[in-house]
């Protein structure tokens, strides 16, 4: 039985189980989408590669994800990041992405936030005086992603942009039988994670004005239908071969200076408040594939949930296995929202969290 003396062994913390280290976190958001970054307190994540670490954490440390993301410390739309060493010599840091269902392969809003965090918390050296942008190489489960952080005096001070892993179209104009909607034409594209992309109008909805619950239900139905009827393959790793979610769009895919609006529903009906960085990457890859966008044409992408905006462009052609691909630049703004120490009491029956639907 813990005593008040042992429970308060760490100054400033409330009574807690001294055998369970507090999780020290920094909270940020990018376009409204939260990110909870673990600074300290997570046990060592074993594994020779980042994908091996991802498997290890899922099998042995999933309680950390639940304590970070679930209620009462989080909520069903919370998102987390655990920083780990990378086996890549060019990486400044490795990261595992956590959500309400498990572990993602890529998260663009998190990369934009982590770029600022890495510079401000000394994970990368400050650039020389007069240099207004710092490069941060972030090893994500999908591969190495380069973030470029606007800075002044060695501190972040503005937008962040990143260059994606090669993004490609897995299937264009795929006909899927969607319960309640009949046969629906969707596209499957990869932006570090695989998404089904479909115009909301095909499901009888306006992505700009429909209720979020209706959009979530429709997107989740599409996700389930695609998973049941189409096998996802990634040319380099089976760990990456899964459908992350569905993005409903306004259908304005041809190049325009007017923002195009979308909403992303991923994992277990989790709603992205931002335009979705990896989703923007996938949409750019699809638009380029269909000849609707040229290299270095910049488009604005608007979240139907919050109105926040990212920009994206295809900066160069690439390959992923046998797929023709593009490297996409995505830009957005991330902000700090707080810090916390997440603790556990040994007699708490809900110590590892819960979710409501």
């Amino acid at each position: 039985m813990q005593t008040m003396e042992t429970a308060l062994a760490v100054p400033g913390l409330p009574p807690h189980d001294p055998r369970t280290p507090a999780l020290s976190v920094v909270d940020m958001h990018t376009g409204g989408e939260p990110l909870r970054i673990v600074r300290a307190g997570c046990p060592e994540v074993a594994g020779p590669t980042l994908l091996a670490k991802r498997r290890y954490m899922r099998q042995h440390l999933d309680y950390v994800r639940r304590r970070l993301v679930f209620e009462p410390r989080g909520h069903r739309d919370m998102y987390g990041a655990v920083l780990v060493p990378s086996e890549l010599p060019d990486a400044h840091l490795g990261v595992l992405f956590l959500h309400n269902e498990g572990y993602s392969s890529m998260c663009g809003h998190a990369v934009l936030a982590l770029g600022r965090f890495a510079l401000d918390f000394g994970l990368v050296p400050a650039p020389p005086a007069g240099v207004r942008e710092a490069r941060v190489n972030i090893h994500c489960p999908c591969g190495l992603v380069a973030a470029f952080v606007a800075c002044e005096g060695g501190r972040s001070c503005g937008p962040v942009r990143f260059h994606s892993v090669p993004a490609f179209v897995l299937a264009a104009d795929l006909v899927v039988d969607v319960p309640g909607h009949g046969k629906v034409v969707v596209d499957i594209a990869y932006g570090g994670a695989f998404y089904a992309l479909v115009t909301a109008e095909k499901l009888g909805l306006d992505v700009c004005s429909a209720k979020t619950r209706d959009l979530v239900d429709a997107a989740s139905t599409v996700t389930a239908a695609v998973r049941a009827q189409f096998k996802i393959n990634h040319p380099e790793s089976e760990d990456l071969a899964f459908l992350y979610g569905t993005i409903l769009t306004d259908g304005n895919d041809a190049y325009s200076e007017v923002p195009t609006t979308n909403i992303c529903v991923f994992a277990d009906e989790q709603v992205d408040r931002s335009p979705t960085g990896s989703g923007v990457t996938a949409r750019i890859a699809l638009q380029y594939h269909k000849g609707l966008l040229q290299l270095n044409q910049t488009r604005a992408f608007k979240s139907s949930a919050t109105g926040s905006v990212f920009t994206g462009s295809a900066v160069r052609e690439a390959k992923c296995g046998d797929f023709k691909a593009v490297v996409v630049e995505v830009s957005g703004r991330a902000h700090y929202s707080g810090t916390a120490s997440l603790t556990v009491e040994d007699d708490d029956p809900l110590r590892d969290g819960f979710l409501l639907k």
Side-chain angles (χ1 to χ4, degrees), residues 23 25 27 34-36 63-80 98-100 270 273 340-343 350-356:
L23 293 170
V25 302
D27 281 351
L35 182 67
R36 177 162 285 170
Y63 67 88
V64 174
R65 177 186 67 88
R66 293 170 58 92
R67 291 176 186 174
L68 280 172
V69 171
F70 286 12
E71 294 186 50
R73 303 171 189 88
H75 52 82
R76 68 172 297 104
D77 292 317
M78 178 57 79
Y79 208 95
L98 324 177
H99 51 70
N100 70 8
Q270 191 160 340
R273 274 71 169 157
S341 294
L342 307 181
T343 59
L350 301 176
R351 58 188 290 143
D352 290 339
F354 61 91
L355 286 183
L356 296 180

Side-chain angles (χ1 to χ4, degrees), residues 304-357:
S304 74
T306 62
S308 58
V309 175
F310 290 170
T311 59
S313 62
V315 294
R316 65 178 182 272
E317 293 183 336
K319 294 278 285 185
C320 187
D322 293 331
F323 289 96
K324 293 182 179 179
V326 286
V327 171
V328 176
E329 180 176 289
V330 177
S331 180
R333 295 184 70 99
H335 295 87
Y336 293 100
S337 54
T339 61
S341 294
L342 307 181
T343 59
V344 167
E345 290 194 279
D346 60 357
D347 62 347
D348 183 357
L350 301 176
R351 58 188 290 143
D352 290 339
F354 61 91
L355 286 183
L356 296 180
K357 275 210 173 187

Side-chain angles (χ1 to χ4, degrees), residues 128-165:
V131 176
R132 302 299 299 272
E133 194 173 60
R135 176 169 177 151
V136 183
N137 292 332
I138 302 174
H139 186 189
C140 305
C142 64
L144 192 65
V145 176
F148 302 89
V149 185
C151 61
E152 186 173 350
R155 302 279 289 185
S156 67
C157 65
V160 180
R161 59 191 178 92
F162 71 79
H163 285 180
S164 73
V165 296

Side-chain angles (χ1 to χ4, degrees), residues 7 10 20 39 56 83 89 92 96 111 113 156 160 176 202 258 261 267 270 289 315 336-337 342 357:
V10 180
T20 304
R39 289 190 65 198
Y56 181 91
L83 306 185
H92 293 112
L96 301 176
V111 166
S156 67
V160 180
V176 179
K202 294 178 181 179
V258 177
T261 300
Q270 191 160 340
H289 175 85
V315 294
Y336 293 100
S337 54
L342 307 181
K357 275 210 173 187

Side-chain angles (χ1 to χ4, degrees), residues 101-334:
E101 191 178 50
Y103 301 83
S104 175
S105 54
M106 173 58 186
C107 181
H109 94 272
V111 166
L112 295 171
L114 286 169
R116 288 197 67 192
F117 176 86
L119 179 62
D120 293 336
F121 284 80
L123 302 184
V124 296
V131 176
R132 302 299 299 272
E133 194 173 60
R135 176 169 177 151
V136 183
N137 292 332
I138 302 174
H139 186 189
C140 305
C142 64
L144 192 65
V145 176
F148 302 89
V149 185
C151 61
E152 186 173 350
R155 302 279 289 185
S156 67
C157 65
V160 180
R161 59 191 178 92
F162 71 79
H163 285 180
S164 73
V165 296
F168 61 91
V169 175
L170 181 65
D173 301 320
L174 178 71
V175 178
V176 179
D177 190 3
V178 180
H181 300 281
K183 296 190 179 302
V184 177
V185 177
V186 306
D187 301 296
I188 311 295
Y190 179 78
F194 284 103
Y195 294 98
L197 303 165
V198 60
T199 304
E201 186 179 12
K202 294 178 181 179
L203 304 171
L205 296 169
D206 183 337
V207 75
C208 298
S209 61
K211 293 180 179 178
T212 300
R213 181 71 259 172
D214 294 336
L215 294 169
V216 170
D217 289 344
S220 299
T221 302
V222 171
T223 297
V226 172
R227 286 173 175 168
Q229 299 170 43
F230 182 78
K231 179 173 174 54
I232 300 291
N233 291 293
H234 189 279
E236 296 179 351
S237 174
E238 277 301 307
D239 284 286
L240 307 177
F242 62 95
L243 186 69
Y244 191 30
T246 291
I247 297 175
L248 304 181
T249 79
D250 60 6
N252 297 325
D253 288 330
Y255 175 73
S256 170
E257 295 183 356
V258 177
T260 174
T261 300
N262 59 235
I263 189 170
C264 176
V265 182
F266 63 97
D268 183 10
E269 298 189 345
Q270 191 160 340
V271 179
D272 196 331
R273 274 71 169 157
S274 79
T276 308
S278 56
V280 166
T281 303
R283 288 196 66 190
I284 289 284
L286 178 64
Q287 291 169 9
Y288 186 79
H289 175 85
K290 291 190 172 184
L292 303 174
L293 192 70
Q294 297 178 8
L295 288 178
N296 298 309
Q297 283 188 318
T298 299
R299 291 216 65 187
F301 296 80
K302 183 178 179 180
S303 164
S304 74
T306 62
S308 58
V309 175
F310 290 170
T311 59
S313 62
V315 294
R316 65 178 182 272
E317 293 183 336
K319 294 278 285 185
C320 187
D322 293 331
F323 289 96
K324 293 182 179 179
V326 286
V327 171
V328 176
E329 180 176 289
V330 177
S331 180
R333 295 184 70 99

